[in-house]
Amino acid sequence: MPTRDQVHNFAAGPSPLPTKCLEEAALGLLNYEDTGMGICELSHRGKEFKAVIEGAEADLRSLLQVPDNYTILFSQGGGTGQFSAVVLNLLAAHRLAHPVPAEEFKPPVLDYVLTGSWSSKAYAEAQRLCAPPFPNCPAFGQPRIAASTKSTSWTRLPSRDEYNFSKDAAYVYYCENETINGIEFPPKAEDKEAFPFDLVSEGVEIVADYSSSFISRPIPNFSRHAIIYAGAQKNLGPSGVTVLIVRNDLLVDTTEASKLGCIPAVPITYEYKILANNKSLYNTPPTFPIYVSALVLKHLIKNKGGLEGLEQTNREKAQTLYETLENAEKKGKAKLVVRDSSARSWMNVTFNIEGEGEEKKFLEGAEKRGFRQLKGHRSVGGIRASIYNAVTIESVKLLCDYINEFCN
């Protein structure tokens, strides 16, 4: 049976977590802070867990330099839950901002940028939630595609001239990193594939799904965003907790909005204002995932150089692996899925092994050497090496050595 040190886990998620944090979490699971009780056995309203969740919020605010006019929330339901919550809360906010009589109501436009499976699912959920509640009734909203790369099988990002944003949209939605094909918006505004914040009209809200790239590097144009959310299970902690960063003016009373009519009702646990008013403790939160996430945040700040250190390490890991694969491609042994280097994900590196039967040989050889979970997503196949925060540069270099050996 291999030890943890002998395995190099390249899972797309849930992903590896720092061993040091898991060891501390294991102790806390049995006896947290000498209470004689495990962290999962303590009241979520007690002083012990209050210190955990408040510490996690403070450390995340410090790590990302979150401005004071944003609230950090810990929720449940994953990114998929936010496909729904974003629509519901922002429709309510828009309705309160436009309190016209119901007979004068015009469904607002919701712009979606589609770059892969997850943004497509978010768009599909918006369509479902905005549909007219009964025949001959206006829709709650008008989801529309502002840009899409579906025609090229999600293997590139839109060019600037492909974006067609609505000037009066309620919001624009994008997914910063698509895990399946390994597509990510580059961080610098001068990169030609960068998200075009300047093309979005002033006053139109911007929503970003950062689930698979959260806390891997700084978030560009942070203050231009209305909502940023992320499932924890890639870079932050175990699956089960979702982080929301919501601008304070969007913490609206959805019940008051509903009284105006023409919007769908919001389940109480998905209303951002309810979560904020109760400091993420309206109902019992996922205490253990939040606890582990709190440990990871402290570890990243204390031992990994904060966000600057993480960005430097993640850039090095991505560059090292992509350079190795580019050399393998020159030899006709491999082929990168994303052709434009500026659109390639730092987190999910996707490629194919060329030649009949070669992919199977590659995966079998990788397994023998301790490289785990390299097989691509079931919908596209191929190989996917996910190199999230907890994957070390040493693991990446060993994988590169294996790729070179295989290609030679």
Side-chain angles (χ1 to χ4, degrees):
M1 181 180 294
T3 65
R4 187 172 177 84
D5 291 339
Q6 293 171 321
V7 169
H8 307 278
N9 185 359
F10 294 96
S15 61
L17 291 167
T19 299
K20 176 182 175 66
C21 298
L22 292 179
E23 290 172 341
E24 188 173 350
L27 296 175
L29 194 58
L30 291 172
N31 186 354
Y32 176 72
E33 297 287 331
D34 295 323
T35 60
M37 297 174 285
I39 187 70
C40 295
E41 302 168 311
L42 296 169
S43 169
H44 63 289
R45 303 195 189 281
K47 64 179 181 179
E48 294 88 0
F49 187 73
K50 182 181 179 184
V52 170
I53 196 168
E54 289 180 352
E57 179 187 344
D59 285 341
L60 183 57
R61 188 175 293 276
S62 173
L63 184 69
L64 286 178
Q65 298 183 347
V66 178
D68 291 340
N69 63 322
Y70 288 81
T71 294
I72 296 173
L73 303 170
F74 298 95
S75 183
Q76 301 177 59
T80 302
Q82 292 309 304
F83 296 168
S84 309
V86 162
V87 177
L88 298 172
N89 282 271
L90 289 188
L91 282 179
H94 187 273
R95 189 71 179 98
L96 287 169
H98 301 82
V100 299
E103 59 270 17
E104 298 176 20
F105 173 78
K106 293 182 179 180
V109 170
L110 316 178
D111 273 351
Y112 279 75
V113 176
L114 307 188
T115 52
S117 176
W118 302 114
S119 50
S120 297
K121 288 184 177 182
Y123 173 65
E125 177 65 352
Q127 289 181 300
R128 191 181 72 85
L129 291 175
C130 287
F134 50 84
N136 301 317
C137 175
F140 294 127
Q142 301 179 69
R144 67 181 287 273
I145 298 172
S148 174
T149 56
K150 184 177 181 179
S151 62
T152 51
S153 302
W154 313 123
T155 57
R156 66 177 182 87
L157 291 169
S159 58
R160 280 181 65 87
D161 60 4
E162 290 180 287
Y163 289 94
N164 179 27
F165 295 119
S166 304
K167 291 183 179 180
D168 57 352
Y171 64 81
V172 170
Y173 183 105
Y174 75 99
C175 179
E176 199 272 345
N177 182 76
E178 292 275 4
T179 57
I180 291 177
N181 282 313
I183 289 283
E184 183 174 20
F185 285 95
K188 296 180 180 179
E190 57 267 29
D191 289 324
K192 64 185 180 67
E193 305 288 356
F195 186 83
F197 292 95
D198 59 307
L199 297 182
V200 180
S201 297
E202 193 68 29
V204 174
E205 310 294 4
I206 298 178
V207 178
D209 176 355
Y210 261 80
S211 290
S212 52
S213 56
F214 196 56
I215 62 173
S216 64
R217 63 190 188 193
I219 296 174
N221 283 285
F222 194 108
S223 61
R224 187 63 184 87
H225 291 82
I227 299 169
I228 295 167
Y229 71 81
Q233 68 273 12
K234 313 290 188 180
N235 282 321
L236 179 58
S239 57
V241 62
T242 310
V243 176
L244 318 176
I245 305 175
V246 184
R247 206 177 64 229
N248 292 344
D249 61 297
L250 295 173
L251 301 171
V252 301
D253 187 329
T254 64
T255 301
E256 287 302 307
S258 294
K259 292 176 182 178
L260 296 171
C262 308
I263 64 165
V266 181
I268 198 163
T269 56
Y270 272 3
E271 183 184 295
Y272 296 151
K273 187 176 189 297
I274 292 287
L275 285 172
N277 288 349
N278 291 273
K279 301 185 183 300
S280 301
L281 298 174
Y282 178 77
N283 62 328
T284 307
T287 54
F288 187 67
I290 292 173
Y291 170 56
V292 177
S293 297
L295 296 177
V296 170
L297 286 167
K298 291 188 182 301
H299 171 71
L300 297 180
I301 292 171
K302 182 179 179 181
N303 302 318
K304 295 298 179 179
L307 205 59
E308 183 179 345
L310 290 166
E311 180 183 26
Q312 182 177 340
T313 300
N314 287 327
R315 180 187 292 110
E316 181 185 0
K317 290 189 297 185
Q319 287 178 345
T320 300
L321 185 49
Y322 280 120
E323 286 173 4
T324 298
L325 290 166
E326 286 169 352
N327 289 331
E329 190 167 303
K330 290 175 183 176
K331 298 175 183 178
K333 299 292 186 178
K335 187 173 183 179
L336 285 155
V337 172
V338 182
R339 307 309 300 161
D340 190 332
S341 61
S342 67
R344 290 173 183 163
S345 171
W346 285 19
M347 298 286 99
N348 311 102
V349 180
T350 56
F351 58 100
N352 294 304
I353 299 297
E354 301 286 79
E356 187 175 351
E358 291 300 293
E359 180 183 300
K360 182 180 179 182
K361 291 179 184 177
F362 179 86
L363 289 171
E364 289 174 348
E367 189 78 13
K368 291 176 181 177
R369 289 161 175 79
F371 302 121
R372 298 290 190 268
Q373 306 199 77
L374 282 169
K375 193 170 180 61
H377 191 272
R378 64 186 182 277
S379 65
V380 294
I383 310 295
R384 174 173 55 176
S386 295
I387 49 177
Y388 296 117
N389 283 351
V391 176
T392 65
I393 185 65
E394 290 75 22
S395 288
V396 172
K397 287 179 177 178
L398 287 171
L399 177 60
C400 290
D401 289 343
Y402 170 60
I403 293 170
N404 289 330
E405 176 189 334
F406 186 85
C407 292
N408 291 329

